[in-house]
Amino acid sequence: MERIALRLVRRWRDTGLDAPLFLGRTDGAMAEDVGAGLDFVSPRRRWPGIAHWETLWMVLTLPRAVRILRPDMLFCAGNTYAFVAVMLKLILGRDCPPIVAKISNNLDRADASLFYRVFYRIWLRIQGLAIDHFVGMEKPMRAEIVQCVGVSPARVAVIPDPALSEAQIVRLRQDAAALPRHAGGGHRFVTVARLAPQKNLALMLRGFAQGGDAADTLTIFGDGPERAMLEALALQLGVSGRVAFRGYVTNPAGLLSQYDTLLLSSHYEGVPAVILEALAANIGIIATDCSRSMASLLQQGALGTLVPVGDEAGFAAAIRTARPQSQDARRTLHQARRFTIEHGADHYIRVMRNVLRRRAAPAPMIGEVVTPQT
């Protein structure tokens, strides 16, 4: 989510748009990665332990930045920042610019308890009252947002998530063509994920242990709070010699062409960027059906194997029957090209300008007859 947000800021600035970037803290790995060279605004003072309460930190510090910068529009990069957006509306009131919020994760949350889902739905309705416009990342998300957030379809835009660039797609295809075709030996599985409960990597490891051949390998790019637990689980399952934990890397998408099949085992997602990157690299995909958009992304299974969320046996079976280099290169290329920064960044600007125009339009006087437009 943050990676795509930083790419959008860079693209907007390259086209001449004044696009200030607010960072609550600057010690993340992306500061020297996709964020390298980007000017930003950040609070001057640093309090100890900000990483553990960064949402509250942004609520405390962002209003002052908005008052100073006086932006025409605020872009909320994903669900993680929705609380900050709502609080901005409450703190700034009429002085708060209109907010466009991207929905970056599944809203159904079927993985959660009934108690959680009840309060989560209430929270989503509060967002619908405070946020001016919403962006879904794929067509099925429009109905999801309308239903769960309780807003009209007119307040929802669908912009295919700009996780790729045309140059990146070309580079990934060239890398794949330059590599020798995989003949015999083990099957090379890969995943790119934050090692956190949402990603359900324990299921992936158990599925790999059950369904993988003795010569198969699994490479995991990413870091997070569950790393120690997952390394211990791999040892317990007897696959630690075939599972490599590579940690955070600056450009994981550029490495995907070296592998045969991407694995994604999440409880819930929105439109996972790594799925789009795997389509661009034209490698196989095995993924849980973790959002309303997954079937559309994989064209009802034509571009990858979908497994029910939490289905360990099904995930193992998909690993067992995976066929390297069986993708339709033309179909994966066509799908990947829908999700480029070249198209998405401009689409975002059109949506934002429309929101500003609607806000600036004078409201009809009380009693004035408004003729519907046909």
Side-chain angles (χ1 to χ4, degrees):
M1 179 181 65
E2 285 84 359
R3 183 180 293 273
I4 293 170
L6 293 172
R7 285 176 173 171
L8 280 170
V9 170
R10 191 182 297 278
R11 175 73 179 184
W12 290 334
R13 292 180 181 179
D14 287 344
T15 59
L17 195 72
D18 181 13
L21 170 65
F22 180 83
L23 300 180
R25 59 186 178 93
T26 60
D27 55 343
M30 287 185 194
E32 301 302 325
D33 180 4
V34 69
L38 281 177
D39 293 332
F40 56 86
V41 177
S42 186
R44 292 181 180 179
R45 296 185 62 186
R46 298 289 189 275
W47 293 358
I50 288 174
H52 301 290
W53 50 286
E54 57 190 358
T55 299
L56 179 58
W57 175 247
M58 293 189 77
V59 171
L60 293 172
T61 55
L62 183 54
R64 181 176 182 273
V66 172
R67 290 189 180 103
I68 293 172
L69 294 171
R70 301 181 63 83
D72 299 302
M73 173 74 63
L74 294 174
F75 173 53
C76 176
N79 299 50
T80 303
Y81 305 104
F83 181 77
V84 179
V86 172
M87 292 304 296
L88 270 176
K89 281 283 188 175
L90 291 175
I91 294 169
L92 297 178
R94 292 181 177 273
D95 293 331
C96 186
I99 299 175
V100 171
K102 171 184 169 183
I103 299 297
S104 58
N105 251 326
N106 175 282
L107 301 180
D108 294 318
R109 292 304 307 272
D111 63 293
S113 67
L114 177 61
F115 179 81
Y116 177 92
R117 293 201 303 271
V118 168
F119 283 94
Y120 187 60
R121 286 298 175 92
I122 295 172
W123 166 234
L124 291 176
R125 294 304 174 106
I126 293 172
Q127 293 180 41
L129 295 173
I131 295 172
D132 298 85
H133 207 81
F134 295 87
V135 174
M137 300 182 291
E138 180 62 313
K139 293 176 182 178
M141 291 186 73
R142 182 190 295 276
E144 180 180 4
I145 295 169
V146 169
Q147 176 188 348
C148 296
V149 182
V151 296
S152 70
R155 288 175 58 194
V156 181
V158 173
I159 305 177
D161 199 27
L164 304 167
S165 70
E166 288 289 347
Q168 183 182 20
I169 294 172
V170 170
R171 189 164 55 250
L172 286 170
R173 295 273 158 157
Q174 290 174 341
D175 290 346
L179 289 171
R181 293 189 64 84
H182 187 50
H187 194 147
R188 300 163 298 187
F189 295 97
V190 63
T191 190
V192 181
R194 185 167 183 266
L195 309 189
Q198 174 190 348
K199 307 302 180 178
N200 200 11
L201 291 168
L203 179 140
M204 180 187 297
L205 287 175
R206 289 193 292 267
F208 177 72
Q210 295 174 35
D213 187 81
D216 293 345
T217 60
L218 170 60
T219 301
I220 299 174
F221 293 105
D223 217 331
E226 289 198 331
R227 178 164 181 168
M229 180 274 288
L230 293 168
E231 289 178 333
L233 178 61
L235 184 63
Q236 177 186 336
L237 294 170
V239 295
S240 59
R242 297 190 286 125
V243 177
F245 289 86
R246 295 281 300 275
Y248 180 88
V249 295
T250 56
N251 181 27
L255 303 173
L256 292 180
S257 299
Q258 302 174 19
Y259 299 91
D260 299 311
T261 300
L262 175 85
L263 303 181
L264 185 143
S265 53
S266 299
H267 286 298
Y268 61 93
E269 292 283 353
V271 172
V274 69
I275 293 291
L276 308 179
E277 292 163 349
L279 291 170
N282 195 38
I283 66 173
I285 298 170
I286 297 172
T288 51
D289 193 9
C290 52
S291 82
R292 296 195 193 187
S293 298
M294 287 300 297
S296 174
L297 284 176
L298 297 183
Q299 295 185 355
Q300 318 306 318
L303 303 182
T305 302
L306 280 173
V307 178
V309 172
D311 185 354
E312 183 179 310
F315 209 85
I319 289 174
R320 187 179 302 112
T321 58
R323 293 183 299 121
Q325 300 170 337
S326 62
Q327 305 76 245
D328 185 323
R330 287 177 298 179
R331 293 184 71 170
T332 57
L333 178 61
H334 181 268
Q335 184 72 323
R337 280 183 166 159
R338 295 181 55 235
F339 298 89
T340 61
I341 194 76
E342 288 84 357
H343 295 118
D346 293 342
H347 197 165
Y348 267 104
I349 295 304
R350 291 195 297 271
V351 168
M352 291 178 181
R353 293 192 189 281
N354 286 337
V355 172
L356 287 172
R357 280 195 291 267
R358 286 202 301 271
R359 181 163 182 171
M365 298 293 289
I366 296 176
E368 179 181 342
V369 177
V370 180
T371 304
Q373 295 181 348
T374 60

